[in-house]
Amino acid sequence: MNSLEEDGIDEEEASIRSMIRNKSGKTTPGKIIRKPFALKLIVYCINNEIMTDSHRQDLGTDLVEEATRSAVGQVKVRIDRSKFFISALGLVGGVNTASVTFFQGKYVQFSLNEHSEVITTHCHLEDKLGADLAPVFSSHRMRNNVKRNFSGAYFFSEHNLYLIASPSDAVELRMSVFNAVETEPQLIRCGMILGVTNSRSIIGSRCVLLPLDDVDVAKALPELYPNPVPEHVFESIMPRPPHELGKVKPFLYGEVAFDFIKPVKLAVPKE
């Protein structure tokens, strides 16, 4: 690790500092620079209170005012490279390797959207760890006939399997939690998912995770994957009881209860 990284300074900020030192306090560089970099240079000077009236006059009112608008409300954030989101979860050592050992593979996840339609998502719990040493998780589903990709991490702890991912086209988080047993094969893993809808509403839903290598699961996918399907269509495609997969639809739509899944009953606001 170099001295810049130890101080939490990126190369661009180091360049700004170097330019300031080299010019003995003058912000005008000896070569032409791009406007975005010039704005960052001015913002740096404003935030560090080294922008003088003389500098403002030399640079011009328009450029300084634009930079000032960018500087207003900026918070100085110190980078601590010893802290990671994943490490805060305690994903170290045996937790990671055990998660990969017992749960790596390809799956299908069913959940409900805000219209109570079933969404089909392909999930891949990979057999490798990422740069942060968390097991790698990726998934994709269709939205308006366009594939939407997600990537993140997965881990197993205390009888629960967690899938955490973010879509490639937005800054947001989706989390699914499934009841799971690492030492026993399970065709159906039941759980809950929390995410954000296309209309930016927060939504929670029951969900199930099924292994893609199951013949009956794979057989149903061509009719389920392209777009969300209503309850009656989903029921007509999936196997009926006493087949094990016949339990999926009743669970998704709340017709059966499990001790390990306890949705909170929300009170209806009074008029």
Side-chain angles (χ1 to χ4, degrees):
M1 179 180 293
N2 58 41
S3 59
L4 294 179
E5 291 176 332
E6 291 174 351
D7 294 336
I9 302 171
D10 60 28
E11 292 183 2
E12 192 167 56
E13 182 174 340
S15 177
I16 292 174
R17 293 188 178 187
S18 175
M19 289 175 65
I20 294 170
R21 287 196 298 267
N22 291 342
K23 292 299 175 181
S24 301
K26 295 182 179 179
T27 57
T28 305
K31 60 181 180 180
I32 297 174
I33 61 175
R34 293 176 303 160
K35 181 179 178 181
F37 184 80
L39 289 171
K40 289 186 178 182
L41 178 61
I42 298 171
V43 168
Y44 178 86
C45 293
I46 293 173
N47 286 337
N48 288 275
E49 300 180 352
I50 55 177
M51 175 67 71
T52 67
D53 291 338
S54 177
H55 292 149
R56 295 174 189 275
Q57 185 176 359
D58 291 340
L59 292 165
T61 303
D62 292 342
L63 190 62
V64 173
E65 286 185 352
E66 185 176 347
T68 302
R69 287 193 295 270
S70 299
V72 172
Q74 280 193 2
V75 178
K76 297 179 183 179
V77 179
R78 184 173 179 273
I79 300 175
D80 185 345
R81 300 183 186 278
S82 67
K83 304 295 184 182
F84 296 93
F85 172 70
I86 293 299
S87 63
L89 295 175
L91 297 190
V92 294
V95 175
N96 293 351
T97 54
S99 299
V100 171
T101 299
F102 293 113
F103 296 102
Q104 62 173 293
K106 294 184 178 182
Y107 298 83
V108 175
Q109 175 178 288
F110 294 132
S111 60
L112 301 180
N113 62 16
E114 66 269 37
H115 306 297
S116 296
E117 298 170 323
V118 178
I119 300 172
T120 301
T121 303
H122 282 258
C123 302
H124 186 192
L125 280 59
E126 300 189 32
D127 60 350
K128 60 184 180 183
L129 306 181
D132 51 12
L133 300 184
V136 176
F137 163 63
S138 61
S139 65
H140 59 86
R141 64 178 178 82
M142 298 296 289
R143 186 180 72 181
N144 299 325
N145 294 311
V146 176
K147 181 187 287 188
R148 196 177 192 200
N149 296 302
F150 299 77
S151 60
Y154 73 96
F155 65 96
F156 171 80
S157 178
E158 298 294 331
H159 306 295
N160 291 309
L161 175 64
Y162 298 82
L163 309 184
I164 305 172
S166 177
S168 59
D169 57 354
V171 180
E172 60 185 64
L173 189 68
R174 307 288 175 92
M175 182 174 75
S176 303
V177 185
F178 300 95
N179 185 263
V181 181
E182 75 274 28
T183 57
E184 299 178 9
Q186 293 174 274
L187 175 62
I188 303 174
R189 293 184 173 94
C190 299
M192 296 288 292
I193 183 173
L194 178 66
V196 181
T197 69
N198 300 337
S199 59
R200 318 314 300 165
S201 299
I202 300 171
I203 186 172
S205 160
R206 291 187 176 200
C207 58
V208 298
L209 192 68
L210 309 171
L212 187 57
D213 59 7
D214 181 85
V215 175
D216 293 305
V217 173
K219 185 178 179 181
L221 280 184
E223 297 180 78
L224 295 173
Y225 180 68
N227 284 297
V229 298
E231 179 180 358
H232 70 278
V233 174
F234 183 78
E235 185 176 28
S236 68
I237 295 172
M238 293 294 287
R240 301 288 185 90
H243 194 289
E244 186 73 6
L245 291 177
K247 299 177 181 179
V248 172
K249 183 259 180 182
F251 170 74
L252 283 178
Y253 285 93
E255 298 167 16
V256 294
F258 288 91
D259 291 339
F260 54 81
I261 295 180
K262 299 182 179 296
V264 174
K265 184 176 181 180
L266 301 178
V268 178
K270 295 181 179 179
E271 296 293 338

